[in-house]
């Protein structure tokens, strides 16, 4: 199944998490969503419940999710954070 992700909204959500969230061990947590990046900042991660979105270089991404319902909750949460 192909999942279309609006990367602009994802980046807005990532920005909200990192600017409003509490900082831990190289991670930020905001409203239950965790965000972090690798050492050079080219790969970013967002995790909520059992879903992880990996943002890669050149606008590519990977989604790891156990079920469609978990993915749906994740996408709704990101949209809320991006608003």
């Amino acid at each position: 199944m192909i999942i279309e992700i609006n990367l602009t909204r994802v980046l807005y959500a990532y920005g909200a998490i990192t600017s409003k969230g509490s900082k831990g061990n190289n991670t930020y947590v905001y409203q239950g969503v965790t965000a972090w990046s690798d050492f050079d900042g080219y790969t970013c991660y967002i995790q909520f419940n059992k879903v992880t979105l990996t943002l890669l270089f050149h606008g590519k991404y990977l989604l790891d999710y156990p079920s469609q319902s978990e993915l749906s909750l994740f996408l709704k949460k990101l949209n809320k954070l991006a608003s």
Side-chain angles (χ1 to χ4, degrees):
M1 173 189 267
I2 296 175
I3 310 285
E4 291 292 324
I5 301 285
N6 183 329
L7 294 178
T8 302
R9 295 200 48 87
V10 170
L11 290 173
Y12 278 124
Y14 185 86
I17 297 162
T18 57
S19 65
K20 298 177 183 177
S22 58
K23 188 170 176 27
N25 292 334
N26 298 323
T27 64
Y28 295 88
V29 179
Y30 182 64
Q31 295 185 3
V33 182
T34 305
W36 69 97
S37 66
D38 62 0
F39 69 95
D40 60 8
Y42 281 108
T43 304
C44 300
Y45 306 88
I46 301 175
Q47 185 176 40
F48 179 66
N49 292 340
K50 299 174 185 175
V51 179
T52 303
L53 172 62
T54 305
L55 300 171
L56 304 165
F57 199 57
H58 292 297
K60 296 182 192 294
Y61 60 89
L62 300 171
L63 270 169
D64 182 27
Y65 58 98
S67 67
Q68 191 65 37
S69 61
E70 288 286 340
L71 177 61
S72 181
L73 289 172
F74 176 81
L75 294 175
K76 285 179 187 175
K77 187 70 165 184
L78 282 187
N79 278 328
K80 182 178 177 184
L81 291 174
S83 298

